[in-house]
């Protein structure tokens, strides 16, 4: 083979690692996951995001994506929406095993346990791809040292969009090491809004009516014991924030821990 006739791969800008895609899974026509290699120098805290994307026309085309994999995983995983005319996701949805993706070298974010005061129950409330940071946190042994109970509540339009449902319902409880750690502590609470499902309705409604607390057999939100992380659309975050603040919760940040933290599920295009 004559190397001289192969087009040169575009150089990876210094702010990024160039990583190789190792796995792609399409959940629906709107939602997919992919995994890639991870540079040993890439460190992050569970719940953080990084700038992720592709080289396009010789330049990085990136958006903020939460790491969906736990910090101890050798690889990185991401969960993404697919928007046919979205600048990045119209391209990213076609990545295949062996392709190169860009991973920004500086992960950051507010959905980290350090931003929460100690508490008993950690509530991870997500809509759509907002589940991503919680896929990381729910597999982090340290989270179960800090909290007695961890609830992952995921609301989507259709049942098919309950990405990683099997992870919560089967794989994690059966996991060789994590199984014991999550046993009796982790609860998964899926809900669906646009078709019949055993738990139907928006998370806001399920909280307001008290249905989620009754179903899980736990007391209603109390800022003395409960800690909440929110990750969804702008509207979901706004409505959940209002609901929490009316119940006495206070937002935490990297400067001052609080009783809840929030971040939007960034990529919508
Ligand atoms: P709905 O079907 O009633 O709009 P999307 O796919 O548009 O990001 O939505 C994901 C999920 O978030 C859907 O189930 C949607 O419910 C729900 N949702 C949208 N807006 C809000 C909100 N303001 N509060 C709570 N859930 C919301």
């Amino acid at each position: 083979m004559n190397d001289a006739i192969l087009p040169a791969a575009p150089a990876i800008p210094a702010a990024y690692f160039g990583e190789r895609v190792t796995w792609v899974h399409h959940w629906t026509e709107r939602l997919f996951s992919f995994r890639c290699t991870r540079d040993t120098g890439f460190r992050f805290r569970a719940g953080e995001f990084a700038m992720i994307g592709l080289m396009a026309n010789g330049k990085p085309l990136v958006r903020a994506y939460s790491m969906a994999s736990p910090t101890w995983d050798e690889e990185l995983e991401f969960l993404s929406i697919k928007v046919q005319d979205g600048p990045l996701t119209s391209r990213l949805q076609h990545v295949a095993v062996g392709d190169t993706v860009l991973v920004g070298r500086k992960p950051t974010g507010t959905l980290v346990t350090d931003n929460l005061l100690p508490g008993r129950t950690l509530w991870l409330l997500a809509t759509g791809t907002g589940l991503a940071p919680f896929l990381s946190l729910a597999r982090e042994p340290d989270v179960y040292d800090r909290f007695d109970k961890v609830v992952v509540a995921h609301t989507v339009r259709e049942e098919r969009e309950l990405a990683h449902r099997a992870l919560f319902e089967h794989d994690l409880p059966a996991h060789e090491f994590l199984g014991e750690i999550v046993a009796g502590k982790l609860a998964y609470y899926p809900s669906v809004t646009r078709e019949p499902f055993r738990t139907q309705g928006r998370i806001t409604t399920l909280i307001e009516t008290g249905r989620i607390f009754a179903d899980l057999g736990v007391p209603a939100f109390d800022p003395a014991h409960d800690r909440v992380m929110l990750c969804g659309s702008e509207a979901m975050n706004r409505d959940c924030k209002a609901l929490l603040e009316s119940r006495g919760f206070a937002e935490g940040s990297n400067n001052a821990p609080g009783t809840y933290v929030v971040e939007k599920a960034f990529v919508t295009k």
Side-chain angles (χ1 to χ4, degrees), residues 30 127-128 155-157 193-194 202-204 233 235-236 239:
R30 287 211 310 149
T127 55
T155 308
V156 294
R157 297 181 187 184
T193 51
R194 300 196 188 181
R202 290 182 170 191
I203 189 64
T204 37
S233 62
M236 179 274 199
D239 292 353

Side-chain angles (χ1 to χ4, degrees), residues 126-251:
T127 55
T129 55
L131 181 69
F134 304 151
L135 288 165
S136 182
L137 282 154
R139 284 181 277 180
E140 213 58 49
D142 170 65
V143 167
Y144 299 88
D145 287 340
R146 293 184 188 233
F147 296 95
D148 297 338
K149 197 163 180 66
V150 177
V151 180
V152 176
H154 189 204
T155 308
V156 294
R157 297 181 187 184
E158 302 168 22
E159 189 173 351
R160 290 185 318 133
E161 296 177 320
L162 289 173
H164 288 290
R165 183 178 180 182
L167 173 79
F168 293 106
E169 293 187 337
H170 306 288
D171 303 352
L172 260 180
H175 190 274
E176 195 181 354
F177 306 113
L178 291 172
E180 212 170 296
I181 292 170
V182 307
K185 287 198 161 190
L186 176 63
Y188 173 62
Y189 194 83
S191 60
V192 171
T193 51
R194 300 196 188 181
E195 63 182 14
F197 189 69
R198 64 184 146 87
T199 38
Q200 212 177 323
R202 290 182 170 191
I203 189 64
T204 37
T205 309
L206 296 164
I207 293 169
E208 272 160 356
T209 59
R211 164 104 195 255
I212 187 170
F213 308 111
D215 283 347
L216 294 170
V218 298
F221 280 159
D222 178 348
H225 311 296
D226 294 300
R227 300 293 172 258
V228 186
M229 290 192 181
L230 303 174
C231 193
S233 62
E234 210 130 8
M236 179 274 199
N237 286 350
R238 188 192 54 229
D239 292 353
C240 286
K241 256 173 100 120
L243 195 151
L244 288 171
E245 296 202 350
S246 73
R247 291 167 192 230
F249 285 79
E251 187 170 354

Side-chain angles (χ1 to χ4, degrees), residues 16-214:
Y16 301 93
F17 292 112
E19 301 293 358
R20 193 171 39 80
V21 173
T22 57
W23 174 85
V24 183
H25 179 75
H26 292 268
W27 302 97
T28 70
E29 56 294 338
R30 287 211 310 149
L31 191 65
F32 76 110
S33 289
F34 65 95
R35 291 174 70 84
C36 65
T37 52
R38 173 182 177 182
D39 191 282
T40 50
F42 183 76
R43 300 285 179 83
F44 65 98
R45 294 184 293 171
E48 286 189 321
F49 65 85
M51 302 309 289
I52 304 299
L54 299 167
M55 291 301 287
N57 304 321
K59 285 188 294 205
L61 173 60
V62 294
R63 295 286 183 273
Y65 275 90
S66 300
M67 272 63 78
S69 43
T71 61
W72 47 262
D73 197 327
E74 266 182 29
E75 294 189 335
L76 296 173
E77 186 172 325
F78 301 95
L79 178 63
S80 180
I81 195 119
K82 298 184 233 178
V83 180
Q84 296 323 321
D85 59 356
L88 176 62
T89 68
S90 62
R91 302 172 196 231
L92 195 61
Q93 66 183 283
H94 299 297
V95 287
V97 170
D99 289 353
T100 299
V101 289
L102 301 176
V103 174
R105 289 176 182 259
K106 293 206 174 127
T108 184
T110 54
L111 301 178
V112 292
T113 50
D114 284 345
N115 290 359
L116 289 174
L117 294 164
R120 279 189 209 154
T121 301
L122 176 63
W123 297 83
L124 305 173
L125 311 183
T127 55
T129 55
L131 181 69
F134 304 151
L135 288 165
S136 182
L137 282 154
R139 284 181 277 180
E140 213 58 49
D142 170 65
V143 167
Y144 299 88
D145 287 340
R146 293 184 188 233
F147 296 95
D148 297 338
K149 197 163 180 66
V150 177
V151 180
V152 176
H154 189 204
T155 308
V156 294
R157 297 181 187 184
E158 302 168 22
E159 189 173 351
R160 290 185 318 133
E161 296 177 320
L162 289 173
H164 288 290
R165 183 178 180 182
L167 173 79
F168 293 106
E169 293 187 337
H170 306 288
D171 303 352
L172 260 180
H175 190 274
E176 195 181 354
F177 306 113
L178 291 172
E180 212 170 296
I181 292 170
V182 307
K185 287 198 161 190
L186 176 63
Y188 173 62
Y189 194 83
S191 60
V192 171
T193 51
R194 300 196 188 181
E195 63 182 14
F197 189 69
R198 64 184 146 87
T199 38
Q200 212 177 323
R202 290 182 170 191
I203 189 64
T204 37
T205 309
L206 296 164
I207 293 169
E208 272 160 356
T209 59
R211 164 104 195 255
I212 187 170
F213 308 111

